């Protein structure tokens, strides 16, 4: 029988996103400066760094400048500096410009960026600094000694769809480390376990997420100005669904068109993919894209809750960074600089812990203090009630945001803290079922989900246990079908969930190989019975430029 391999390290980052990669680089340099030797590794579920990285993205370069003080902005792998910026309110047929972009929403001095390119670049620097990056391995369990986290177990390989071992079965490895830093991105599966096990959300607002869906369009030469930025409100989401669209000009005549949809809507028929297709039906967007060709598709959730939804950040032996911890400025629609800074602060805490030989909860609590006294706190404090204001719709949310600007972040009624209810609890049973009745997928401009999934290049070994675990399938065919009309079929942007005939009834079919790892189902299921767990390491999307 194959033996489980055991690997002993000093520090393990889980997830090769910007938070972990910046943290690993910073840690290696700190150790070098203080003359300490320590093994530092990054565990990544994708087949290569960047393959699961997706964001808008416009990057505030603040953390990059801190991490690379000797570099110029031109040395970073940005697409272009923001040169032209617009904010529009869209009706179904018109676009109405805001007279100016409010300064807190301005992207002046920021850069249009492909997160995949940025993480690949950071990954290369990690390797130059001596960090080991293990791609194609997903962490599936946290290892404990009492209450102290002491490692991560990676997933077994070679289990068939019935749960039986195949001939090429290999048990996952146990990676032991003095410090585990979870930077898995949004709704990480280990992060979810850590938060639940240690009750890290106690006293916090519920986290509230959104999902971003996007397509890249290659356009005729000379038609896309790199650095062009537009954000919109209104159509197609209307006033009752939080979110809006973005359109960014990238290099090589590529438009980056996306839509952010708050995962706290009431109507269970809402479908973020279909909303993006509706957006493309707007005459202005059609006039921009119709001469082009769609070349890539992806989706990812993002934490919108803000400062009050950030969990307790450390336990004995482990810390949370980046999107795993909820470091996102919803008002600026920016988290990459916050993610990187959080990784760097966790690195500073780790360097001191290694020097002291102390990895207890008390020692690692220093990370939370560092966050509290950093610019992360001052940036997020000013917008601490931003998302909660949209409980009253678009106009209520904008008014609340304006009040926040005048009061240093207070919300409605000058309250210091507005509460937030988990998004899935807001779903209502009366549905507007025909929201997409006019949407016709022509396969050349408007795409159905399966076609879009093809452009995400996602792939999973078919003969494995599906990585979407439903704790009680009876709920799907009874309560959920009756009460909400199976919203998983709608909210999954990759057509993973399908209700298919089964005799006189219906049953849930899970097309797990379509999954683009956005985590929307784990977040938005009204009964909270879906657990997204990592598939076999290396499986999933293969994004290049998203
Ligand atoms: Fe996203 Fe879940 Fe659908 Fe996968 S199955 S694409 S994680 S909603």
């Amino acid at each position: 029988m194959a033996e489980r391999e055991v690997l002993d390290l000093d520090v393990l980052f889980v997830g090769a996103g910007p938070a972990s990669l910046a943290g690993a680089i910073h840690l290696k340099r700190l150790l070098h400066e203080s003359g300490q030797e320590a093994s530092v590794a990054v565990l990544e579920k994708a087949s290569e760094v960047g393959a699961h990285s997706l964001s808008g993205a416009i990057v505030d370069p603040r953390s990059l400048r801190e991490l690379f003080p000797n570099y110029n902005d031109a040395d970073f792998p940005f697409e272009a500096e923001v040169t032209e910026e617009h904010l529009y309110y869209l009706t179904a047929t018109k676009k109405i410009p805001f007279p100016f972009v409010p300064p807190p929403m301005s992207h002046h001095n920021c850069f249009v960026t492909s997160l995949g390119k940025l993480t690949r670049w950071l990954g290369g620097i990690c390797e130059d600094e001596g960090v080991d990056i293990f791609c194609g391995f997903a962490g599936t369990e946290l290892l404990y000694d009492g209450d102290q986290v002491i490692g991560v177990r990676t997933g077994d390989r070679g289990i068939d769809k019935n749960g039986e071992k195949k001939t090429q079965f290999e048990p996952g490895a146990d990676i032991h480390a003095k410090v585990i830093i979870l930077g898995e991105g949004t709704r990480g599966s280990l992060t979810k376990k850590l938060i639940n096990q240690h009750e890290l959300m106690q006293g916090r607002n519920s986290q509230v997420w959104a999902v971003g869906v996007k397509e890249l369009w290659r356009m005729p030469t000379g038609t896309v100005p790199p650095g062009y930025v537009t954000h919109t409100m209104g159509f197609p989401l209307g006033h009752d669904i939080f979110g809006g669209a973005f359109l960014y000009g990238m290099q090589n005549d590529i438009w980056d068109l996306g839509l952010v949809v708050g995962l706290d809507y009431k109507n269970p028929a809402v479908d973020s993919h279909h909303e993006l297709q509706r957006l493309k039906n707007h005459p202005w967007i059609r006039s921009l894209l119709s001469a082009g060709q769609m070349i890539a598709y992806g989706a990812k959730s993002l934490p919108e809750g803000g400062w009050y939804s950030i969990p307790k950040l450390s336990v004995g032996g482990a810390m949370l960074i980046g999107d795993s911890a909820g470091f996102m400025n919803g008002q600026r629609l920016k988290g990459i600089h916050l993610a990187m800074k959080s990784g760097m602060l966790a690195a500073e805490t780790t360097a001191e812990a290694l020097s002291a030989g102390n990895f207890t909860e008390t020692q690692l609590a220093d990370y939370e203090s560092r966050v509290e006294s950093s610019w992360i706190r001052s940036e997020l404090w000013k917008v601490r009630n931003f998302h909660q204001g949209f409980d009253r719709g678009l106009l209520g949310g904008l008014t609340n945001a304006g009040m926040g600007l005048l009061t240093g972040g207070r919300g409605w009624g000058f309250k210091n803290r507005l509460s937030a209810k988990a998004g899935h609890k807001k779903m209502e049973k009366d549905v507007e079922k025909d929201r997409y009745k006019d949407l016709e997928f022509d396969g050349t401009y408007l795409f159905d989900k399966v076609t879009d999934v093809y452009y995400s290049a996602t792939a999973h070994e078919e003969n494995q246990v599906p990585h979407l675990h439903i704790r009680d399938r009876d709920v799907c065919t009874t309560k959920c079908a009756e009460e909400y009309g199976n919203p998983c079929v709608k909210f999954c942007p990759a057509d993973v969930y399908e209700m298919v005939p089964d005799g006189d009834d219906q049953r849930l079919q899970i097309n797990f190989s379509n999954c683009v790892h956005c985590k929307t189902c784990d977040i938005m299921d009204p009964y909270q019975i879906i657990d997204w767990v990592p598939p076999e390491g290396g499986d999933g999307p293969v994004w290049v430029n998203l």
Side-chain angles (χ1 to χ4, degrees):
M1 197 167 83
E3 290 280 313
R4 189 180 298 284
E5 205 182 321
V6 177
L7 184 63
D8 283 307
L9 297 170
D10 292 303
V11 183
L12 180 68
F13 289 84
V14 182
S20 293
L21 298 172
I25 293 167
H26 193 47
L27 177 58
K28 268 293 188 184
R29 290 177 181 170
L30 290 171
L31 294 172
H32 182 72
E33 279 163 22
S34 62
Q36 292 185 78
E37 280 290 325
S39 49
V40 179
V42 179
L43 193 66
E44 168 56 35
K45 69 182 169 66
S47 55
E48 57 164 329
V49 173
H52 290 183
S53 294
L54 181 148
S55 182
I58 297 179
V59 170
D60 178 336
R62 187 171 188 173
S63 296
L64 278 162
R65 288 174 183 159
E66 279 185 23
L67 187 58
F68 301 103
N70 300 326
Y71 284 41
N72 297 313
D73 290 342
D75 298 324
F76 301 129
F78 298 138
E79 292 289 303
E81 184 164 2
V82 175
T83 49
E84 185 182 345
E85 192 174 0
H86 305 274
L87 182 62
Y88 294 117
Y89 178 83
L90 298 185
T91 68
T93 54
K94 297 204 164 39
K95 74 174 176 15
I96 301 160
F98 281 65
F100 63 96
V101 179
M105 295 173 75
S106 164
H107 299 86
H108 179 70
N109 204 12
C110 294
F111 295 81
V112 175
T113 304
S114 149
L115 183 60
K117 277 189 191 166
L118 179 62
T119 50
R120 283 174 172 89
W121 182 81
L122 288 168
I125 294 172
C126 268
E127 285 174 338
D128 293 346
E129 295 283 349
V131 176
D132 290 311
I133 303 185
F134 304 126
C135 287
F137 293 93
T140 55
E141 293 294 334
L142 290 167
L143 304 173
Y144 279 91
D145 180 5
D147 261 358
Q148 182 83 10
V149 180
I150 56 159
V152 166
R153 177 166 292 173
T154 64
D156 295 340
R157 290 165 183 267
I159 305 257
D160 73 15
K161 59 185 174 194
N162 301 313
E164 303 293 330
K165 290 175 184 167
K166 297 190 230 173
T167 46
Q168 71 273 34
F169 171 76
E170 275 177 46
D174 282 354
I175 306 179
H176 292 160
K178 293 164 182 151
V179 181
I180 307 289
I181 302 174
L182 297 180
E184 298 177 285
T186 49
R187 194 69 154 198
S189 48
L190 296 181
T191 304
K192 185 173 161 183
K193 287 181 184 172
L194 190 84
I195 287 175
N196 290 341
Q197 164 98 5
H198 298 266
E199 299 181 352
L200 301 183
M201 289 303 285
Q202 218 171 50
R204 270 65 173 179
N205 280 358
S206 294
Q207 183 56 272
V208 184
W209 281 269
V211 60
V213 278
K214 63 185 261 187
E215 291 177 352
L216 298 185
W217 281 72
R218 186 182 301 288
M219 304 304 300
T221 307
T223 57
V224 177
Y228 171 100
V229 165
T230 279
H231 292 97
T232 74
M233 303 173 201
F235 182 82
L237 300 179
H239 288 200
D240 294 334
I241 302 173
F242 173 83
F246 58 86
L247 179 74
Y248 304 151
M250 299 175 72
Q251 288 175 10
N252 303 316
D253 292 290
I254 292 174
W255 280 127
D256 171 0
L257 175 74
L259 185 70
V260 173
V261 181
L263 290 175
D264 49 2
Y265 49 76
K266 294 176 184 158
N267 178 358
V270 168
D271 181 323
S272 57
H273 165 273
H274 286 14
E275 296 295 334
L276 178 65
Q277 304 309 307
R278 286 181 76 210
L279 172 71
K280 284 159 56 186
N281 253 344
H282 190 282
W284 169 59
I285 299 288
R286 200 174 259 278
S287 73
L288 285 173
L289 295 186
S290 56
Q293 189 192 359
M294 197 268 286
I295 55 170
Y297 171 76
K300 178 182 176 284
S301 52
L302 49 151
E304 281 279 348
W307 182 254
Y308 289 125
S309 298
I310 292 173
K312 180 169 177 282
L313 292 170
S314 58
V315 301
M319 289 178 271
L320 295 172
I321 59 174
D323 278 357
S324 281
F327 288 117
M328 232 284 290
N329 181 334
Q331 181 165 294
R332 297 181 75 204
L333 196 57
K334 279 192 186 30
I336 294 170
H337 64 302
L338 297 165
M340 292 180 70
K341 181 67 178 177
S342 70
M344 291 159 69
L345 295 174
E348 289 163 20
T349 301
T350 302
E352 289 204 352
L354 287 168
S355 165
N358 181 352
F359 312 102
T360 59
E361 180 166 3
T362 313
Q363 176 77 25
L364 298 190
D366 173 64
Y367 168 46
E368 193 134 351
S369 310
R370 285 177 189 271
V371 170
E372 283 274 356
S373 50
S374 72
W375 55 256
I376 290 183
R377 200 259 190 198
S378 35
E379 179 174 332
L380 291 183
W381 184 249
K382 282 186 269 185
V383 293
R384 62 192 179 278
N385 289 303
F386 172 75
H387 189 87
Q388 297 93 307
F390 288 88
D391 273 356
R392 301 176 185 219
L394 178 62
L395 296 178
L398 292 177
T399 310
N400 181 62
M403 184 182 299
L405 279 181
L406 297 174
T407 61
R410 286 181 181 270
W412 284 108
F414 295 101
K415 284 197 183 139
N416 191 33
R417 172 175 172 176
L418 299 178
S419 59
K421 194 169 161 186
H424 68 274
K425 292 188 177 164
K426 294 186 181 170
M427 211 177 259
E428 290 180 355
K429 292 168 191 168
D430 289 329
V431 298
E432 173 204 354
K433 289 199 174 100
D434 56 357
R435 189 171 172 92
Y436 306 108
K437 66 179 185 311
D438 298 329
L439 204 51
E440 284 179 22
F441 305 117
D442 58 19
T444 54
Y445 181 73
L446 299 183
F447 303 103
D448 61 18
K449 283 189 194 175
V450 173
T451 309
D452 260 328
V453 168
Y454 172 79
Y455 285 93
S456 72
T458 199
H460 294 80
E461 159 65 45
E462 294 278 352
N463 189 13
Q464 65 177 301
V465 178
H467 63 283
L468 291 317
H469 294 182
I470 317 286
R471 268 174 266 139
D472 181 355
R473 285 205 185 209
D474 285 346
V475 170
C476 309
T477 47
T478 55
K479 268 165 79 167
C480 189
E482 286 155 25
E483 295 183 335
Y484 298 105
N486 299 112
C488 59
V489 176
K490 323 282 187 338
F491 60 57
C492 170
D495 226 4
V496 169
Y497 300 98
E498 210 179 333
M499 296 305 290
V500 296
D502 185 21
D504 293 339
D505 294 323
Q506 292 213 306
R507 68 177 169 81
L508 179 69
Q509 176 170 297
I510 300 179
N511 308 312
F512 71 91
S513 54
N514 284 0
C515 178
V516 295
H517 297 200
C518 72
K519 318 287 179 69
T520 301
C521 52
D522 194 307
I523 293 164
M524 200 52 181
D525 161 37
Y527 302 96
Q528 294 291 287
I529 55 169
I530 300 178
D531 283 313
W532 186 98
V533 301
E536 277 202 2
D539 286 0
V542 185
W543 289 321
V544 177
N545 208 13
L546 281 95

